[in-house]
Amino acid sequence: MNLSAVRSSLLIFVLATVLAGCSVNPVTGEKQLSLIGESQELAMGAEQYVPTQQTQGGQFYVDPELGLYVSEVGRKMAAVSDRPDLPYEFVVLNSSVPNAWALPGGKIAINRGLLTELENEAQLASVLGHEIVHAAARHSVQRMQQGMLISAGVAGLGFALSDNEWAGLIMGGAALGAQLALAQYSQGDELESDHYGILYMKEAGYDPAAAVELQEIFLKLSEGRNPGFIEGMFATHPPSAKRVQENRELAQKIGTGGYRGEDIYKRKLAELRSLQPAYDAHDKALELASKGDMTAALGKVNEAIRILPREAMFYALRGRIYEEQKQPEKAAEDFEKAVSLYPEMFKYRLYNGLNALRLNNLDKARENLVRANEVVPTSIAFLRLGDVAVKQNNRKEAVAYYSKAAEAGGDVAEEAKRKLAALTQ
């Protein structure tokens, strides 16, 4: 078959695939490409929700009442959406970065760092309504499909966690979920989510003016180049004067007025706001540690622990500081404390396992690294599990772990390949 015939056949195949994969957007009613079915969409969101939460800070477990409140508001908005039967879930994440995101199938998260910027329940409803539209209109799925068409047959093995040298590369489904959560939406998707989110607010009884106020706050913060918002909300949901104006016009058209919920929001946020000094101290400690000032960082994280001794995140950071100060025994105590407070969190298991390996506590290292990989697989965990297996004279297991680590790319993969070659000579 000549090149022209091959190209023609490929074009016919692509056109047939596109035509066969057309569906109606459940929110807008417009036709759109649909290569990923609803069952795949739901499965994807369900599988990646917990791992993606963990790559973005994990659950904010110290105030469970706040999580219940956010879920109540989210369910109220989801009930009036165009896909009320999606298996919606809402979670508050333990991150100071102001952000919110949605995975396919209605799996939605909002960071505590964004909650503290809001003033009332109606603004919270606006954020959640916006994310509900992203899920209901299948925006994440559409972005995935665009990627599939651009790079058909090419599968990424993982991506780097920029702020965490210990985590190496996240691999598999967790990488995909985090990429979806952190990817920037198109202006069309953002305007669509604003528009229908405001309609949902009105239907649920909230004041649509809160959505306008929210965008005005975001636009003002972006003009002031607030670094937290640039890293978080603005990276994934870029604000613009056009969004403010379109939101204002729609709110005026459908009529403002409705429930705002200032008092209840103030009550529900009271504990988080009272704990804010502890998280500010932690964030300052992290900043100081990143600059190499471990003594000052230790002082700040100790301040955070004094204010809130039941927060696992603080012990994990102090453990990392102790590691940098060549005090692995003290680090081990803090990593154990972090794991005891939040045993499901992969990072705390990972830190604990890596430190245990340095102390040559092989059984503890293996247990924690395996447990970490069960939630969020990382190349560094596979690599060090290979090292544990070598020390325990388990060649077959070491080969399997090194082979897995070698798939990820980067320095971790190169080390795995060298060790794999040494084992198989």
Side-chain angles (χ1 to χ4, degrees), residues 29 123 305:
Q123 291 180 0
I305 290 172

Side-chain angles (χ1 to χ4, degrees), residues 46-373:
E47 290 167 2
Q48 295 169 13
Y49 193 39
V50 170
T52 306
Q53 289 174 37
Q54 294 216 355
T55 66
Q56 306 303 305
Q59 291 193 19
F60 181 56
Y61 68 86
V62 301
D63 186 4
E65 290 298 319
L66 181 59
L68 291 174
Y69 172 61
V70 168
S71 292
E72 288 173 8
V73 176
R75 285 195 296 270
K76 192 184 301 183
M77 291 293 290
V80 299
S81 73
D82 290 282
R83 295 179 76 187
D85 296 329
L86 281 179
Y88 290 99
E89 292 184 64
F90 302 87
V91 67
V92 177
L93 297 186
N94 195 12
S95 171
S96 297
V97 176
N99 204 5
W101 47 262
L103 291 185
K107 307 305 184 187
I108 292 166
I110 183 169
N111 292 1
R112 59 171 168 77
L114 179 54
L115 289 172
T116 55
E117 297 289 340
L118 308 181
E119 299 168 352
N120 54 59
E121 185 176 305
Q123 291 180 0
L124 172 60
S126 177
V127 172
L128 298 179
H130 182 97
E131 299 302 330
I132 286 167
V133 177
H134 280 316
R138 308 182 84 231
H139 288 159
S140 293
V141 172
Q142 289 297 307
R143 284 185 295 158
M144 283 186 64
Q145 290 176 168
Q146 291 163 7
M148 287 167 63
L149 291 176
I150 292 168
S151 56
V154 178
L157 290 169
F159 76 106
L161 273 183
S162 60
D163 66 343
N164 185 355
E165 65 273 25
W166 283 277
L169 292 175
I170 293 176
M171 302 174 71
L176 175 59
Q179 285 171 327
L180 287 174
L182 297 175
Q184 181 174 319
Y185 287 102
S186 68
Q187 185 181 59
D189 285 348
E190 287 295 272
L191 292 173
E192 191 171 286
S193 288
D194 284 350
H195 180 94
Y196 288 97
I198 289 173
L199 296 183
Y200 295 171
M201 287 181 71
K202 183 72 172 178
E203 180 69 17
Y206 289 106
D207 183 0
V212 183
E213 297 162 3
L214 188 67
Q215 290 303 319
E216 287 175 336
I217 291 170
F218 290 166
L219 186 60
K220 184 176 180 180
L221 287 167
S222 72
E223 290 169 348
R225 302 199 64 78
N226 179 294
F229 271 84
I230 291 167
E231 180 186 351
M233 201 73 183
F234 299 160
T236 54
H237 303 75
S240 67
K242 181 179 181 181
R243 289 180 67 181
V244 173
Q245 184 58 31
E246 292 204 9
N247 286 4
R248 181 180 291 115
E249 289 174 1
L250 178 57
Q252 291 171 348
K253 180 180 177 180
I254 65 175
T256 56
Y259 184 66
R260 295 183 64 81
E262 288 95 345
D263 290 341
I264 189 171
Y265 194 78
K266 184 177 181 181
R267 291 198 304 274
K268 296 295 185 180
L269 266 288
E271 181 171 3
L272 174 55
R273 294 194 195 282
S274 74
L275 298 174
Q276 192 59 45
Y279 291 102
D280 290 342
H282 166 272
D283 294 347
K284 184 63 178 178
L286 190 59
E287 178 188 338
L288 289 165
S290 70
K291 294 176 180 177
D293 191 346
M294 296 301 161
T295 301
L298 185 60
K300 273 295 175 184
V301 78
N302 282 336
E303 179 184 329
I305 290 172
R306 281 194 299 272
I307 299 170
L308 183 57
R310 55 197 173 92
E311 173 55 80
M313 176 192 294
F314 301 163
Y315 295 99
L317 177 55
R318 192 169 70 177
R320 293 170 69 191
I321 293 169
Y322 281 141
E323 280 189 320
E324 290 295 322
Q325 294 181 327
K326 311 301 182 188
Q327 300 184 69
E329 289 82 7
K330 283 189 174 182
E333 291 179 12
D334 276 340
F335 292 147
E336 277 292 318
K337 182 68 173 179
V339 167
S340 72
L341 289 168
Y342 192 173
E344 301 83 8
M345 184 64 172
F346 91 100
K347 282 200 295 188
Y348 308 154
R349 292 280 184 184
L350 183 60
Y351 299 155
N352 206 17
L354 295 176
N355 189 66
L357 179 56
R358 293 185 190 99
L359 292 170
N360 208 37
N361 189 337
L362 301 184
D363 290 339
K364 179 180 175 181
R366 189 181 191 285
E367 177 191 359
N368 279 277
L369 294 175
V370 167
R371 291 284 293 276
N373 267 356

